[in-house]
Amino acid sequence: MMRKFLILPAVAFLTAAAAGASLADDRPLTDAPRDQWLSVQQLAERLESQGLQVREIEEDDGAYEVEYVDREGRSMEAKVHPVTAEILRSGTDD
């Protein structure tokens, strides 16, 4: 009987933690004011000056989502800061 009381609080804690994590994912990646964002053309030029071949740019989650080919020829996808052009997250484009 005592075990049930120990397990239930642990399950409740893990459930609440998982819910909190999913809520955190709903926030935009940046809070940069829209009037400070680089244009799509400016962003493409900055990334191409770094040796990347930009394929597509979209707005997503308060940032730009960019599909590109890196210097090694890999197809990649990245979330890019809309003001600084810093790559926030990247991975292969499957």
Side-chain angles (χ1 to χ4, degrees):
M1 193 67 139
M2 199 60 154
R3 278 191 165 173
K4 289 181 183 178
F5 289 142
L6 294 175
I7 293 172
L8 289 177
V11 171
F13 172 78
L14 292 174
T15 303
S22 67
L23 290 176
D25 292 343
D26 292 339
R27 291 181 286 162
L29 289 176
T30 72
D31 59 357
R34 187 66 178 99
D35 64 341
Q36 294 179 9
W37 283 33
L38 296 168
S39 69
V40 169
Q41 182 64 37
Q42 290 170 317
L43 180 65
E45 289 171 1
R46 286 203 188 176
L47 296 174
E48 289 171 353
S49 74
Q50 298 173 30
L52 307 178
Q53 297 174 12
V54 175
R55 300 290 184 222
E56 184 177 342
I57 299 175
E58 298 176 346
E59 292 181 26
D60 186 41
D61 294 333
Y64 282 119
E65 183 174 281
V66 181
E67 292 180 18
Y68 63 94
V69 177
D70 70 8
R71 291 184 237 19
E72 287 80 35
R74 295 177 294 199
S75 292
M76 304 290 289
E77 188 173 288
K79 296 287 187 171
V80 179
H81 194 285
V83 176
T84 66
E86 172 189 2
I87 295 179
L88 303 170
R89 291 188 225 164
S90 66
T92 57
D93 185 24
D94 296 324

